[in-house]
Amino acid sequence: MEPRDRLATLGREVLGADLSLVIDQDVGLGSEKRPGGGCMKARRWAALLCVSAIAACGCGGPSVAARPANSSPLGDDIQGTVERALAGEWRGAEARQRDVYRHPKETLAFFGLKDAMHVVEISPGSGWYTAILAPVLAPSGRVTVTSGFDELAKHPEIFGHVEVTSSSQFGADGSADMVLTFRNMHNWVGAHSEQEVLARVFAVLKPGGILGLVDHRAKADAVPPGAGGYLREDWVIAQVEKAGLRFVAKSEINANPRDTTDHPKGVWTLPPTYALGDVDRAKYEAIGESDRMTLKFVKP
Ligand SMILES: C[S@@+](CC[C@H](N)C(=O)[O-])C[C@H]1O[C@@H](n2cnc3c(N)ncnc32)[C@H](O)[C@@H]1O
C-alpha cells in the first residue's frame, strides 16, 4: 500500500478523521524533507495538524494554537490514540479479548509512551502489542521489532512502516527512546542469555531512554530466579540493574491475585496457552492470565 493510502487508512481508523484532502499537500516543512525528495514526514504532520484542527472545531480536542510550538499535535492525546488503536479491526476479536488481562492502555501510559518516540519491541511473538504500537507511532514515531510475524505482511496498512531487525542487534547504539518487552525475560533466563539480551537493550537505548518490562511474577518467597515460567520481581530488578539500567518504578496494573503461580504445567497451564487442554479449563479460565510484574527502568 502506498504511504498516502496508509496514512489515509490510519487517519480513518486510528484518528477517526478523513485525511484524504490534506495528505497530498506539501506544507513546506523543508527541514523534514528527505534527501531523495520524499516529504512523507511533512505530509504526516500536515495531516495530524488537520486532525487537531478538526478536533478543536468540534470533537473537544485541544486547539493547535494553544500548544507550544515544538509539541506534537498528538502529544496531548496519546491515550485517545491508543484507545482508537485498541478498537482497530485489524487486531481481531481474540486479541481484543485479552485486553482485560494485559491492560495495554494503562501499561503504555505507565511506561510513558509518547507519539514521536522510536520504540523497539523485543520478541513481539505474533505482534499482539505491535498491533497497538504501530498505528500509534506511525504518524511521527518509529517502531522496530526484533523478529517478524505473519501479520506484518497481512496488514501492510498497519505494519508497513514497522522495521524488523535481528534478535542479536536491536539497532544502532543510542537510537531508541524506549525498549519494550512483554513475557520474554523468563525465556532469556531459561536460555541463560538474560545479561546478553539486557546488554543489547542498554546499547540501543539513548541516555534517558526507558525499558518497560512485563513478565510472569513468582511469589516473593520463591527460590530465585523462579520456576514454571514465573520470575521473582526483586531478582528481575537486580538483573536489569546489573546491566546498567536504573529501576524507576513498578506498577500493579498487570497483577492477578487469583494466580497462585502453582500449576501443573507452570504458567502455561493458564490462558492463553491452557497447556492441560480441556482438563480443569473452567478453573484456569476463572483465574485468567498470570500474575505479572510491570517494571520501568531508565538508562542513566
Ligand atoms: C510468550 S511469547 C511473547 C510474545 C510477545 N512478546 C507477547 O507478549 O505477546 C515469547 C516469544 O519469545 C520467543 N522466544 C522464546 N525463547 C526465546 C529465547 N531464548 N530468546 C529469544 N526469544 C525467545 C518466542 O518465539 C516467542 O515469540
Side-chain angles (χ1 to χ4, degrees):
M1 182 179 282
E2 289 299 310
R4 177 196 183 284
D5 298 329
R6 180 161 64 81
L7 186 54
T9 303
L10 286 171
R12 275 194 307 277
E13 297 187 348
V14 180
L15 305 175
D18 182 0
L19 307 180
S20 56
L21 293 177
V22 296
I23 289 171
D24 285 334
Q25 302 300 312
D26 178 354
V27 292
L29 298 178
S31 61
E32 301 261 21
K33 284 194 176 186
R34 292 179 180 168
C39 52
M40 184 60 203
K41 201 145 192 175
R43 290 171 183 163
R44 288 179 191 168
W45 278 94
L48 292 170
L49 283 164
C50 179
V51 171
S52 291
I54 290 166
C57 288
C59 302
S63 104
V64 174
R67 295 174 193 283
N70 62 352
S71 82
S72 161
L74 281 180
D76 297 344
D77 191 27
I78 183 84
Q79 288 299 292
T81 312
V82 170
E83 269 173 25
R84 289 187 279 280
L86 291 177
E89 56 80 26
W90 63 87
R91 297 186 64 225
E94 206 177 311
R96 283 200 290 263
Q97 277 164 13
R98 298 185 63 197
D99 291 352
V100 66
Y101 301 118
R102 304 197 72 175
H103 311 102
K105 182 181 161 197
E106 296 79 2
T107 300
L108 294 173
F110 173 70
F111 290 147
L113 180 73
K114 302 279 186 296
D115 63 298
M117 282 182 163
H118 174 203
V119 175
V120 175
E121 187 192 354
I122 309 176
S123 292
S126 58
W128 193 92
Y129 252 102
T130 325
I132 301 162
L133 294 168
V136 168
L137 294 168
S140 47
R142 206 177 139 195
V143 184
T144 302
V145 292
T146 64
S147 55
F149 48 88
D150 291 350
E151 298 295 307
L152 280 177
K154 279 194 215 156
H155 287 288
E157 77 283 10
I158 300 301
F159 298 112
H161 64 295
V162 171
E163 299 161 46
V164 183
T165 183
S166 105
S167 55
S168 58
Q169 165 60 294
F170 296 163
D173 285 359
S175 63
D177 299 291
M178 179 175 280
V179 171
L180 296 175
T181 172
F182 303 99
R183 305 183 308 148
N184 292 316
M185 177 88 174
H186 65 281
N187 285 326
W188 308 336
V189 174
H192 306 289
S193 63
E194 70 275 7
Q195 282 303 322
E196 210 178 296
V197 178
L198 290 169
R200 278 177 227 140
V201 171
F202 186 91
V204 79
L205 279 172
K206 297 174 182 173
I210 298 295
L211 167 65
L213 184 156
V214 177
D215 212 337
H216 315 297
R217 178 167 55 186
K219 293 294 176 198
D221 59 356
V223 176
Y230 294 94
L231 296 173
R232 259 182 52 169
E233 188 173 83
D234 57 348
W235 185 87
V236 171
I237 292 171
Q239 296 309 304
V240 179
E241 290 211 309
K242 187 172 158 188
L245 294 147
R246 185 171 54 77
F247 175 60
V248 175
K250 56 179 266 187
S251 164
E252 293 302 311
I253 297 163
N254 295 299
N256 179 357
R258 292 185 302 279
D259 181 10
T260 61
T261 74
D262 179 18
H263 311 295
K265 288 192 180 291
V267 73
W268 302 282
T269 313
L270 298 177
T273 309
Y274 290 112
L276 294 178
D278 288 336
V279 176
D280 291 333
R281 193 175 176 102
K283 172 180 155 187
Y284 296 120
E285 193 172 7
I287 294 172
E289 295 198 17
S290 62
D291 180 53
R292 291 176 191 161
M293 62 188 103
T294 305
L295 307 174
K296 181 173 174 178
F297 301 87
V298 65
K299 175 172 172 173

